[in-house]
């Protein structure tokens, strides 16, 4: 096993570097593409509320646990679990579950990033200017059905991801995040600003949809989706934050860095809703457009704006970069594990894992085309792309998160945990509270949601459907 004594493992250039990289991992397509459409499908306000509850009660403590495990072990996930459990124990399997989740997620994530790349090109050719609002949806539907085009962009995006990961922790990941994240924030604020002035009260309707809870709009699946999404959007449950934490210095306050990442991530998700929904409402459309929502709605706005070409171009370029900073964190987990376990060079590990993930993503690129695995949808009730997303976000990540909480709360030796937490003098209560939440609250909540979904609780008569 490759060991990393303190000093030989590369560290972040600065604390801000860690925050930006962790926020860069968290903020991505999950916020801009997925959150608005999943919230739309689940009826808005109440879903947002449940999601926020999951973020605070489950997401934040598990993020702290992951960073703690990484910082304490200075290892990638598999090694971190091995470092704090008995020799021969099966805990390192949790690390492998995370590696598998990263593998699966990146394979279809790259396809979505490919859509954004396609829209960069559409923006450049000023394509939206000549179209009527009702034609915007058609563009996306055509793209979704064109497997070859998706494959092309998928390849390009995977190449970009691999090349950043090849450049290593500081040179590649940190530098890219430093510039791109603030720029993304600015352009989203600009677009929300535009949305306020859209006709037909679009913005007010969007506010109402996003923040007013309606019990009747929630389905049974919603709670699992809210939980799953909180893991997905915060990059939790698969060892991303653990891996990034393994490059973090020992002085940084766990609570503080985690809170900063969680707050930034949540802010961007909510802003994304307030950027997308007003456009839909203003044109009399519903926000239930599915995975195409952001691609169908925003071009309508761009077509009307003065300087629409530039704004549209800037927006999709930044979405690509937001996706890239997340994608590199997904690949980094897989690559770092192979490096640590097999002793491969970064170069070899990144190239081989990147190629394998690309190959696994090919059926996702063809999901709407049907030429590849066309019968999948009729067997599973959803196409290959949706099946992978459902499996990874709603099952693998929450399960991984549950096990991470249990491991850090119950299995990791008290002395190592306390030392890695590093509570400042006079804040011992913080540590006590953290351990309590990790031991009891977070695992119970995740377990309840999973059991409810499996139907066990209904069997026992504990909860209705
Ligand atoms: N958090 C990223 C997003 O919201 C996706 C991601 C999930 C990245 C899991 C790393 C690990 O887009």
């Amino acid at each position: 096993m490759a060991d990393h004594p303190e000093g030989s493992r590369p560290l972040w250039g600065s604390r801000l570097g860690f925050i930006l990289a962790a926020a860069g991992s968290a903020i991505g397509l999950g916020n801009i593409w997925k959150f608005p459409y999943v919230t739309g499908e689940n009826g808005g306000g109440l879903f947002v509320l449940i999601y926020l509850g999951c973020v605070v009660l489950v997401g934040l403590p598990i993020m702290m646990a992951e960073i703690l495990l990484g910082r304490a072990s200075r290892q990638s996930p598999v090694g971190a679990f091995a470092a704090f459990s008995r020799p021969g124990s099966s805990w390192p399997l949790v690390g492998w579950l995370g590696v598998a989740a990263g593998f699966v997620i990146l394979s279809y994530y790259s396809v979505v990033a490919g859509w954004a790349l396609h829209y960069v090109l559409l923006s450049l050719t000023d394509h939206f200017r000549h179209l009527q609002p009702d034609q915007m949806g058609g563009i996306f539907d055509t793209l979704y059905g064109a497997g070859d085009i998706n494959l092309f962009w998928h390849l390009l995006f995977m190449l970009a991801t691999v090349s950043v990961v090849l450049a290593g922790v500081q040179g590649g990941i940190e530098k890219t995040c430093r510039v791109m994240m603030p720029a993304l924030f600015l352009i989203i604020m600009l677009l929300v600003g535009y949305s306020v002035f859209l006709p037909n009260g679009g913005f007010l309707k969007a506010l109402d949809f996003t923040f007013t809870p309606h019990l009747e709009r929630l389905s049974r699946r919603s709670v699992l989706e809210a939980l799953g999404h909180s893991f997905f959007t915060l990059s939790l449950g698969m060892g991303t934050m653990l891996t990034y934490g393994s490059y973090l210095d020992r002085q940084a306050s766990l609570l503080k860095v985690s809170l900063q990442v969680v707050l930034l991530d949540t802010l961007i998700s909510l802003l994304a809703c307030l950027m997308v929904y007003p456009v839909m409402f203003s044109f009399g459309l519903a926000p239930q457009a599915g995975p195409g929502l952001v691609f169908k709605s925003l071009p309508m706005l761009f077509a009307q704006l003065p300087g629409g070409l530039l704004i549209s171009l800037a927006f999709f370029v930044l979405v690509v970069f937001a996706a890239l900073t997340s994608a590199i964190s997904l690949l980094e987990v897989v690559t770092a594990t192979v490096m640590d376990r097999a002793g491969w060079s970064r170069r070899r590990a990144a190239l081989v894992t990147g190629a394998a993930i690309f190959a696994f993503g090919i059926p996702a690129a063809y999901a709407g085309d049907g030429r590849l695995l066309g019968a999948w949808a009729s067997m599973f009730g959803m196409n290959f792309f949706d099946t992978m997303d459902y499996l990874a976000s709603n099952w693998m990540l929450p399960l991984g998160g549950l096990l991470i909480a249990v491991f850090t709360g119950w299995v990791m030796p008290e002395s190592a945990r306390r030392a890695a937490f590093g509570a400042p003098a006079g804040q011992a209560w913080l540590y006590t509270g953290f351990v309590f939440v990790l031991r009891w609250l977070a695992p119970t909540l995740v377990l309840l949601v999973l059991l409810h979904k499996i139907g066990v609780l209904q069997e026992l008569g504990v909860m209705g459907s």
Side-chain angles (χ1 to χ4, degrees), residues 180-447:
M180 294 302 162
M181 300 319 292
L184 178 73
F185 184 72
L186 278 182
I187 196 142
I188 291 181
M189 288 303 290
L190 183 79
L191 291 175
V192 174
Y194 277 127
S195 294
V196 175
F197 299 105
L198 285 173
N200 306 326
F203 191 74
L204 287 181
K205 287 183 193 154
L207 275 180
D208 179 59
F209 184 80
T210 314
F211 294 112
T212 311
H214 292 278
L215 194 60
E216 70 285 358
R217 291 197 198 145
L218 207 71
S219 76
R220 203 182 132 195
R221 191 177 156 144
S222 298
V223 182
L224 181 70
E225 289 215 12
L227 180 79
H229 186 70
S230 65
F231 278 95
F232 184 89
T233 188
L234 294 173
S235 305
L236 294 179
M238 53 158 279
T240 309
M241 292 299 167
L242 194 159
T243 307
Y244 277 12
S246 76
Y247 311 121
L248 179 66
D249 67 279
R250 295 207 182 271
Q251 284 73 44
S253 150
L254 268 189
L255 180 65
K256 210 163 131 194
V257 293
S258 310
L259 256 183
Q260 281 166 329
V261 175
V262 167
L263 284 177
L264 278 175
D265 186 80
T266 307
L267 182 68
I268 300 278
S269 290
L270 294 176
L271 284 175
C273 288
L274 297 182
M275 163 179 86
V276 168
Y277 296 155
V279 186
M280 297 301 274
F281 285 123
S282 159
F283 284 100
L285 299 167
Q288 280 88 30
L293 181 64
V294 86
F295 298 98
K296 291 179 174 179
S297 59
L298 288 185
M300 298 186 213
L301 181 61
F302 298 141
Q304 298 203 335
L305 292 178
L309 187 154
L310 260 185
I311 299 174
S312 157
L313 184 65
F315 177 76
F316 285 113
V317 167
L318 288 170
V319 170
V320 170
F321 276 103
L324 191 62
T325 54
S326 302
I328 52 191
S329 74
L330 287 160
L331 184 59
E332 176 68 15
V333 172
V334 187
T335 303
T337 305
V338 172
M339 283 166 62
D340 285 356
R341 308 311 296 175
W344 284 10
S345 67
R346 175 167 280 275
R347 187 181 167 75
R348 183 162 167 211
L351 284 174
V352 171
T353 52
I357 292 170
F358 166 73
F360 192 72
I362 295 175
Y366 279 85
D369 184 313
R371 269 185 287 165
L372 217 61
L373 303 186
W376 187 283
S378 48
M379 283 191 265
F380 288 93
M382 43 184 154
N383 66 30
F384 184 80
F385 176 99
D386 293 331
T387 314
M388 291 304 120
D389 185 25
Y390 180 73
L391 208 73
S393 319
N394 295 350
W395 293 102
M396 294 170 97
L397 297 184
L399 191 64
L402 170 70
L403 294 170
I404 287 170
V406 170
F407 183 81
T408 318
W410 293 99
V411 181
M412 187 178 183
E414 163 72 16
S415 54
R417 185 175 54 222
R418 189 182 280 275
F421 187 84
Q427 289 188 5
W429 57 272
L430 205 65
Y431 175 73
T432 316
F434 169 67
V435 175
F436 174 80
V437 171
L438 270 191
R439 284 193 167 179
W440 301 104
L441 190 65
T444 311
L445 287 178
V446 177
L447 205 62

